[in-house]
Amino acid sequence: MRCRVCRQPAVIEIRRHNAGFCHECFAKHCRDQVARTVESYSMLSGDDRVLVAVSGGKDSLALWDILLRLGYQADGLYIGLGIGDYSSESAGYARRFAASRSARLVEVDLPGDFGFDIPTGSRAAKRAPCSACGLSKRHLFNSEALKGGYQAIATGHNLDDEAAVLLGNVLRWDLAYLGRQQPVLAEGTGFVRKIKPLVRLAERETAAYCVLEGIDYIVEECPMSAGNRHLGYKELLNGVEETSPGTKTAFLFGFLDKVAPLVGQVAAAERESLHPCPICANPTVSGTCAFCKLAERASSKP
Amino acid sequence: MKVLLRNPRRALEVPGPVTVASLLAHLEISREAVLVIVDGTLVTGDSLLDDSASVEIRPVISGGCV
Ligand code: SF4
Ligand SMILES: [Zn+2]
Ligand SMILES: [Zn+2]
């Protein structure tokens, strides 16, 4: 198989593009896709400072690498979740990447800074681990970005992640979630802008980018992820993709182009009704925010 | 050839030469769900792996921190 662009031997085949790529042309293809996404959704302007949420995994490290190479002022944010060896190992990958690029990595440690970890927090609050984890991360992404004066927080959600979440939201016709499922959510009172520059790259492509570019990432999965329902949605979609390549892209971008503008109003209305949390000042529906409630329950029940 | 699988980590011995595509078919692994790594770089489905090769088959579908 030969590279579609330069006819050198290919190292990767991308079936939905019906093409093979050599190392150089593939890396350029990935960076071009991100540059195009950032521009077409007006995610960042030239002098914005962006905080990249890094987990030590393939997506977030590829994202950080690409944003730095595209010339953006991108710092990293690593959150220690207190999930045993998985957390200590993933922190190592994030730190080594930062050191190799002489980039700045902001670190927050849930057990050290807030007195609880995800396993105990989720038990105390009677929430699924990924639910407690997801709300904690969203909270800390926003508050750290505000604290550091960043204009945007970037996450490594890729095409497969977004298509799987979309399928889940559609299966339940969850309009509020559908309304928020955008590659960019504008800043508002108490919120920094949230951007997902990898939505045009499949996860096989972000992994390939890391391998080819020598970016060492944690291959092991978080032990809490077993049985996560999004994994099931991903497998379902990959089954369809196998017989008709391009379906995931059509599903996600069809939604973003045709449906998201309609349901976006639901999310906008919801945002207007938010109030600052009395404890941490982050915007919330009413009373104490979900993160402060979680922290309170986790520390009162050791 | 030596074949390393991840998540969970395990090693297999498979006789070569064989193409990447037929190795994956033999192991019943979807080509879309993995990368095949030889000597630190990627190889496409039509590449021929000889018996002395050392191959890693790395899954790319991750847990869904969404
Ligand atoms: S799999 Fe769940 S618990 Fe583990 S890091 Fe992701 S969201 Fe958190
Ligand atoms: Zn090329
Ligand atoms: Zn709060």
Side-chain angles (χ1 to χ4, degrees):
Chain A
M1 167 166 276
R2 305 231 149 231
C3 172
R4 169 166 89 179
V5 186
C6 73
R7 312 308 299 165
Q8 294 291 309
V11 294
I12 184 164
E13 178 183 9
I14 307 293
R15 284 186 63 219
R16 69 196 164 89
H17 295 317
N18 198 13
F21 292 95
C22 73
H23 174 170
E24 266 75 45
C25 296
F26 177 72
K28 180 174 183 301
H29 163 80
C30 292
R31 295 195 274 263
D32 288 350
Q33 293 284 323
V34 172
R36 179 177 153 211
T37 307
V38 171
E39 263 161 50
S40 64
Y41 290 101
S42 308
M43 290 182 169
L44 293 170
S45 66
D47 46 11
D48 279 348
R49 290 174 62 237
V50 55
L51 190 59
V52 183
V54 288
S55 65
K58 61 189 190 324
D59 302 305
S60 54
L61 290 180
L63 172 61
W64 197 6
D65 177 89
I66 293 174
L67 289 177
L68 287 170
R69 281 171 183 268
L70 293 175
Y72 290 105
Q73 299 178 61
D75 294 345
L77 168 63
Y78 177 81
I79 297 175
L81 301 165
I83 306 178
D85 292 345
Y86 171 76
S87 284
S88 43
E89 277 171 35
S90 57
Y93 286 94
R95 287 177 196 141
R96 284 190 293 276
F97 178 87
S100 75
R101 299 296 192 280
S102 304
R104 176 160 183 259
L105 181 67
V106 179
E107 293 197 39
V108 176
D109 187 57
L110 214 44
D113 299 331
F114 294 91
F116 72 99
D117 57 30
I118 292 303
T120 54
S122 74
R123 257 178 272 130
K126 297 193 173 66
R127 275 179 178 269
C130 293
S131 151
C133 184
L135 81 85
S136 301
K137 286 191 289 197
R138 281 190 296 276
H139 172 93
L140 293 168
F141 292 166
N142 191 59
S143 55
E144 287 301 314
L146 283 175
K147 207 185 336 171
Y150 294 91
Q151 279 70 42
I153 179 101
T155 55
H157 293 94
N158 57 45
L159 172 61
D160 294 78
D161 295 328
E162 291 299 288
V165 171
L166 176 60
L167 180 60
N169 290 340
V170 165
L171 289 175
R172 266 172 260 103
W173 291 117
D174 193 323
L175 284 186
Y177 280 125
L178 283 169
R180 263 179 270 150
Q181 201 183 344
Q182 312 263 1
V184 53
L185 277 181
E187 54 273 59
T189 315
F191 285 113
V192 297
R193 193 184 322 141
K194 295 188 185 74
I195 64 173
K196 298 171 184 171
L198 296 185
V199 288
R200 277 183 218 280
L201 292 177
E203 58 187 340
R204 186 162 171 274
E205 292 152 42
T206 62
Y209 181 86
C210 287
V211 172
L212 292 170
E213 292 293 289
I215 299 169
D216 208 10
Y217 65 89
I218 186 160
V219 176
E220 285 69 34
E221 287 294 319
C222 171
M224 305 274 153
S225 72
N228 182 308
R229 70 165 182 262
H230 286 109
L231 264 176
Y233 296 151
K234 280 186 177 178
E235 275 163 23
L236 246 157
L237 289 167
N238 282 340
V240 184
E241 184 82 15
E242 190 109 9
T243 45
S244 43
T247 303
K248 275 185 287 201
T249 314
F251 180 50
L252 180 63
F253 285 90
F255 165 77
L256 292 177
D257 293 344
K258 296 172 196 161
V259 185
L262 306 175
V263 289
Q265 297 153 5
V266 181
E270 198 189 60
R271 256 194 181 197
E272 299 217 328
S273 64
L274 298 179
H275 303 280
C277 164
I279 300 173
C280 72
N282 269 263
T284 181
V285 186
S286 66
T288 310
C289 79
F291 178 79
C292 291
K293 276 187 205 147
L294 174 66
E296 195 181 73
R297 286 199 195 126
S299 52
S300 64
K301 276 191 218 161
Chain B
M1 73 185 85
K2 279 195 192 59
V3 179
L4 171 69
L5 295 153
R6 310 284 298 264
N7 297 347
R9 191 181 259 272
R10 58 219 190 272
L12 296 175
E13 190 62 45
V14 178
V18 63
T19 63
V20 168
S22 42
L23 173 67
L24 294 176
H26 169 71
L27 297 172
E28 295 180 356
I29 295 173
S30 160
R31 271 163 74 176
E32 292 303 303
V34 295
L35 292 172
V36 179
I37 305 174
V38 180
D39 293 329
T41 193
L42 300 175
V43 289
T44 49
D46 57 356
S47 313
L48 196 64
L49 303 165
D50 66 26
D51 199 45
S52 61
S54 185
V55 181
E56 179 187 339
I57 299 179
R58 184 183 291 191
V60 295
I61 299 175
S62 49
C65 302
V66 284

